Amino acid sequence: MTAPFPPPARPPARGARADSPWIRRWSGGTAPRFTLICLPHAGGSASFYRPWAALTPPEVELLAVQYPGREDRMADPGSADMGELTAAVADAVAPLLDRPYALFGHSMGSAVAWELAHELKRRGLPGPRRLFASGRAAPGTAVTGQLHRQSDEVLGGELARLGGTSREILDDPGLRSLILTAVRHDYRIIETYRPAVREPLSCPLHVLTGSADPELGEERGRDRAGGWADLTTARTEVRVFPGDHFYLTPRRREVVATVLRRLDPSLTTGGAHTWPSTP
């Protein structure tokens, strides 16, 4: 049974998807019933979620956030901190909340998703139907360091450890420089981020992790919820997939299927049309 979606405040009129450099629209039929907004990991881009489009039915509009300083936004200045980043993302998604929606964030993106949910609430806009937090402990409990201050060699070694960047890219000086610039910027944001104490959210939280994620460590491995259960008054569910920090790449079909089922049990992967859900 899905959580009831509260009567929303009236959002601004829906604008064209090309209006904002922050949003990429990867799928969606002519009259989708849900919106799934995806937030990338540190150093990641909106295109990380593009393969999900082939698995997303027409009932779901798949949107991904494009942070500045990468891909087609290479020349755009980065955000100063988490607050500035979240405010800019909120500005971009505010016109797109005219139907039930969910937030999905991987690694740093999970913290951005949580901050975004609170910022939208502060603005009197509809909250997410569900929040999916992948690959990171909850804001305020996640262990942070000073990697953004380290050398390129150390930072490149961290990427290799997490497994999300191919060795070919790390061995190419030009590509390596571009990747590390974005990664260093995002690591600075997440490593200097100190979340404020807030009232819990009211939507269900779904925690997704890889069974061998080095980011969680042994202690976190025993407590996969990683503090997320304290951040909502609704249910918190944990789903563990085989794999490391980037488990969601080889397990893409399973991850998308899990998200769709939690969003609405009638939804299926593969782009097939489904019957309407029972009110």
Side-chain angles (χ1 to χ4, degrees), residues 88 138 179 184 256:
I179 292 293
R184 190 179 301 281
V256 175

Side-chain angles (χ1 to χ4, degrees), residues 27 50-56 269-271:
S27 72
R50 187 168 191 168
W52 288 28
L55 302 172
T56 306
T269 60

Side-chain angles (χ1 to χ4, degrees), residues 11 73 102 157 190 192 211 213 247 267:
R73 299 197 65 194
I190 198 64
T192 59
S211 58
D213 187 344
Y247 71 90
L267 298 173

Side-chain angles (χ1 to χ4, degrees), residues 32-99:
R33 296 188 288 122
F34 304 100
T35 301
L36 177 61
I37 302 171
C38 298
L39 298 119
H41 53 280
S45 61
S47 61
F48 180 77
Y49 294 103
R50 187 168 191 168
W52 288 28
L55 302 172
T56 306
E59 290 86 353
V60 178
E61 181 179 44
L62 176 64
L63 305 178
V65 171
Q66 184 76 305
Y67 304 142
R70 66 217 66 204
E71 294 188 341
D72 57 335
R73 299 197 65 194
M74 194 66 68
D76 293 348
S79 302
D81 53 29
M82 180 66 82
E84 184 177 302
L85 175 62
T86 304
V89 175
D91 290 343
V93 304
L96 312 176
L97 306 181
D98 55 350
R99 67 174 73 100

Side-chain angles (χ1 to χ4, degrees), residues 1-277:
M1 217 180 144
T2 56
F5 188 72
R10 184 179 295 275
R14 175 176 291 268
R17 287 302 180 275
D19 286 351
S20 172
W22 291 84
I23 303 297
R24 300 293 175 272
R25 182 178 186 266
W26 296 133
S27 72
T30 56
R33 296 188 288 122
F34 304 100
T35 301
L36 177 61
I37 302 171
C38 298
L39 298 119
H41 53 280
S45 61
S47 61
F48 180 77
Y49 294 103
R50 187 168 191 168
W52 288 28
L55 302 172
T56 306
E59 290 86 353
V60 178
E61 181 179 44
L62 176 64
L63 305 178
V65 171
Q66 184 76 305
Y67 304 142
R70 66 217 66 204
E71 294 188 341
D72 57 335
R73 299 197 65 194
M74 194 66 68
D76 293 348
S79 302
D81 53 29
M82 180 66 82
E84 184 177 302
L85 175 62
T86 304
V89 175
D91 290 343
V93 304
L96 312 176
L97 306 181
D98 55 350
R99 67 174 73 100
Y101 72 96
L103 299 175
F104 184 102
H106 178 60
S107 199
M108 183 184 90
S110 67
V112 179
W114 184 77
E115 287 286 343
L116 178 60
H118 281 286
E119 176 62 16
L120 294 172
K121 178 181 178 181
R122 187 189 69 79
R123 298 184 185 196
L125 292 167
R129 185 172 186 142
R130 294 174 182 271
L131 191 153
F132 297 88
S134 168
R136 187 174 176 82
T141 69
V143 177
T144 59
Q146 293 290 316
L147 280 167
H148 70 284
R149 297 180 180 274
Q150 302 301 315
S151 66
D152 284 357
E153 288 69 27
V154 172
L155 203 54
E158 174 68 3
L159 297 186
R161 183 181 75 92
L162 294 178
T165 309
S166 71
R167 177 51 62 184
E168 289 77 10
I169 289 178
L170 292 177
D171 288 342
D172 183 296
L175 292 176
R176 184 170 180 265
S177 176
L178 291 175
I179 292 293
L180 291 184
T181 296
V183 169
R184 190 179 301 281
H185 171 269
D186 291 352
Y187 269 49
R188 178 183 55 78
I189 286 180
I190 198 64
E191 289 181 339
T192 59
Y193 165 56
R194 301 295 181 266
V197 177
R198 298 190 180 91
E199 291 294 319
L201 297 172
S202 58
C203 65
L205 281 173
H206 301 272
V207 181
L208 287 66
T209 73
S211 58
D213 187 344
E215 280 290 272
L216 296 176
E218 189 174 343
E219 284 299 316
R220 292 296 184 193
R222 288 195 288 267
D223 176 21
R224 294 287 175 178
W228 285 103
D230 297 329
L231 302 185
T232 184
T233 57
R235 177 186 178 191
T236 301
E237 177 189 63
V238 179
R239 175 75 190 273
V240 181
F241 296 85
D244 57 19
H245 188 60
F246 285 95
Y247 71 90
L248 65 175
T249 297
R251 298 286 172 174
R252 181 179 300 127
R253 180 174 291 275
E254 297 167 58
V255 171
V256 175
T258 296
V259 171
L260 293 176
R261 282 196 301 269
R262 298 304 180 267
L263 188 56
D264 189 292
S266 72
L267 298 173
T268 60
T269 60
H273 285 278
T274 59
W275 58 90
S277 59

